[in-house]
């Protein structure tokens, strides 16, 4: 069975970040103990990733590069913003240091109501600097790995994917899942 739309693919791989000199550093691993399992064609992965996987079969290896324009875009300096620290106060009118600290990922709401994640870069006496760029913005990604399994998606998995809208992870807490829902990860 080959990878195509509405097939569940199980992969093991290493993802490398490639710097401007071509030097590579491992940034992520999917192992046999913790493989990547995704439903192809359901928007769970980057389009360039899915395109590279189309037609791959069990035991087939892969080796491909995704450039920033095909992944998370270029790093945008304007995505780094300095905000008033009072925006991060909790209900007691105190700074929420439990959830807001350097390196933390915090949800932010845009002016049009969209929720996006931002990374806290710096905290001063009166300001919090956040970075709205995706952590992999500006990065060239090199994937090397192997297809471990390919199977049909179950109706329960599809239902869970469409109800959740993006990741389709079903951990047994979804009352609307069919009993055969194994959850695409």
């Amino acid at each position: 069975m080959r990878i195509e739309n509405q097939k569940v693919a199980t992969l093991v791989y290493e993802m490398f970040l490639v710097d401007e000199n071509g030097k590579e550093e491992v940034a992520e691993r999917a192992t046999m103990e913790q493989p990547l399992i995704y439903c192809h064609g359901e928007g769970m992965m980057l389009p360039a990733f899915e395109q590279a996987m189309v037609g791959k079969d069990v035991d087939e290896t892969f080796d491909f590069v995704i450039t920033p324009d095909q992944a998370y875009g270029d790093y945008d300096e304007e995505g780094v913003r300095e905000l008033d620290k009072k925006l991060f106060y909790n209900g007691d009118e105190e700074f929420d240091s439990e959830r807001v600290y350097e390196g933390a990922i915090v949800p932010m709401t845009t002016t049009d109501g969209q929720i996006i994640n931002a990374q806290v870069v710096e905290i001063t006496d009166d300001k919090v600097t956040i970075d709205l760029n995706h952590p992999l913005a500006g990065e060239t990604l090199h994937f090397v790995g192997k297809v471990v399994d390919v199977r049909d998606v179950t109706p329960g998995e599809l239902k869970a994917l469409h109800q959740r809208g993006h990741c389709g992870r079903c951990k047994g807490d979804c009352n609307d899942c069919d009993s055969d829902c194994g959850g695409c990860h």
Side-chain angles (χ1 to χ4, degrees), residues 9 84 100 132 138:
D84 191 311
V100 183
L132 297 169

Side-chain angles (χ1 to χ4, degrees), residues 75-129:
Y75 188 85
D76 182 4
E77 293 294 336
E78 291 184 22
V80 178
R81 307 257 172 90
E82 195 175 78
L83 304 174
D84 191 311
K85 196 172 187 178
K86 290 180 182 177
L87 290 171
F88 300 93
Y89 279 21
N90 61 27
D92 296 330
E93 295 301 315
E94 293 181 9
F95 180 71
D96 189 356
S97 59
E98 286 186 29
R99 293 188 308 162
V100 183
Y101 52 89
E102 288 183 15
I105 304 297
V106 295
M108 304 293 295
T109 305
T110 64
T111 55
D112 62 354
Q114 182 182 9
I115 297 176
I116 56 174
N117 288 326
Q119 183 171 20
V120 177
V121 177
E122 182 180 22
I123 300 171
T124 64
D125 289 339
D126 59 345
K127 300 287 183 187
V128 174
T129 304

Side-chain angles (χ1 to χ4, degrees), residues 28-167:
E28 180 178 288
R29 282 189 176 94
T31 64
M32 286 299 289
E33 296 76 28
Q34 291 188 315
L36 170 68
I37 304 171
Y38 78 99
C39 296
H40 194 83
E42 294 296 322
M44 296 173 65
M45 305 300 291
L46 291 168
F49 184 95
E50 287 200 0
Q51 173 127 16
M53 297 309 298
V54 170
K56 301 275 189 242
D57 204 346
V58 176
D59 292 329
E60 193 169 340
T61 60
F62 55 87
D63 185 338
F64 60 89
V65 172
I66 300 177
T67 57
D69 62 307
Q70 299 169 312
Y72 301 101
D74 291 326
Y75 188 85
D76 182 4
E77 293 294 336
E78 291 184 22
V80 178
R81 307 257 172 90
E82 195 175 78
L83 304 174
D84 191 311
K85 196 172 187 178
K86 290 180 182 177
L87 290 171
F88 300 93
Y89 279 21
N90 61 27
D92 296 330
E93 295 301 315
E94 293 181 9
F95 180 71
D96 189 356
S97 59
E98 286 186 29
R99 293 188 308 162
V100 183
Y101 52 89
E102 288 183 15
I105 304 297
V106 295
M108 304 293 295
T109 305
T110 64
T111 55
D112 62 354
Q114 182 182 9
I115 297 176
I116 56 174
N117 288 326
Q119 183 171 20
V120 177
V121 177
E122 182 180 22
I123 300 171
T124 64
D125 289 339
D126 59 345
K127 300 287 183 187
V128 174
T129 304
I130 61 167
D131 187 347
L132 297 169
N133 287 288
H134 186 282
L136 295 175
E139 298 287 353
T140 297
L141 312 175
H142 180 196
F143 291 88
V144 178
K146 180 179 173 180
V147 179
V148 176
D149 187 45
V150 179
R151 64 173 174 79
D152 290 323
V153 66
T154 68
E157 289 170 329
L158 269 181
K159 184 177 178 182
L161 276 171
H162 296 165
Q163 285 176 337
R164 296 190 185 273
H166 54 81
C167 79

